[in-house]
Amino acid sequence: MSGEPPQPGPVAGPTVIVDDERDDPDPAQPVDMGRWEALVADVLLAEGLGDRPVEVHLHFVDEPSIEVLNRDHMDGSGPTDVLAFPVDDPAEVPMDVPVLLGDVVVCPSVAASQAPEHAGDYHAELALLVVHGVLHLLGNDHADPDQTAAMQTKERNHLARHGMERP
């Protein structure tokens, strides 16, 4: 025995890091960091990752920042609402090794402008975008009608647990 205390292993369960990186946040578009952290953690738990050391980063950015990311990584043009950048696939990482699931980037000003036609209000739109981004990190997609329907069902289920509806 060396007399050294045993070193703890990785913490099981999700770690969610939320950053508001907007240069000049609009007071009409608040970002409740705790609310979105809890939503991401809940989605991860519901998707079966509660016993895994999983880390997700959620970034709230302004339009110029998401426009650059959209152009550089998605070959898109203009600002978009949400982007997801997966890193590790939990199915490919041993159970005792921490999983860096990836980053979700959300633009509150785009969310605010599209909320009336999508989710109804700003907070519901942000919730939908956060859930949508996390589902992308988990390998869900909407490249064909069947994938779209499956992803929308998951979105509805996750949002319903929080008293929200997906349109």
Side-chain angles (χ1 to χ4, degrees), residues 4-147:
E4 298 280 325
Q7 295 297 315
V11 176
T15 298
V16 181
I17 300 166
V18 182
D19 298 309
D20 187 348
E21 301 171 13
R22 298 174 292 168
D23 289 331
D24 189 21
D26 183 338
Q29 299 162 4
V31 171
D32 180 344
M33 311 276 257
R35 177 182 185 174
W36 306 123
E37 177 184 349
L39 180 60
V40 171
D42 181 70
V43 170
L44 296 173
L45 291 171
E47 290 288 325
L49 294 171
D51 60 347
R52 301 280 312 262
V54 176
E55 186 172 310
V56 171
H57 292 245
L58 175 60
H59 309 269
F60 292 93
V61 300
D62 51 25
E63 288 187 29
S65 297
I66 206 160
E67 183 172 5
V68 168
L69 291 169
N70 192 28
R71 181 188 65 234
D72 292 352
H73 298 280
M74 307 303 290
D75 293 325
S77 64
T80 190
D81 51 6
V82 62
L83 294 171
F85 299 97
V87 178
D88 290 336
D89 178 347
E92 296 177 4
V93 177
M95 284 298 286
D96 60 337
V97 175
V99 176
L100 179 55
L101 201 55
D103 294 86
V104 174
V105 183
V106 176
C107 184
S109 61
V110 173
S113 67
Q114 67 189 22
E117 66 187 63
H118 288 158
D121 71 42
Y122 170 73
H123 295 288
E125 182 71 10
L126 277 186
L128 174 59
L129 296 175
V130 168
V131 170
H132 187 87
V134 173
L135 290 175
H136 272 304
L137 294 183
L138 294 170
N140 294 269
D141 205 355
H142 43 80
D144 65 49
D146 290 338
Q147 289 178 337

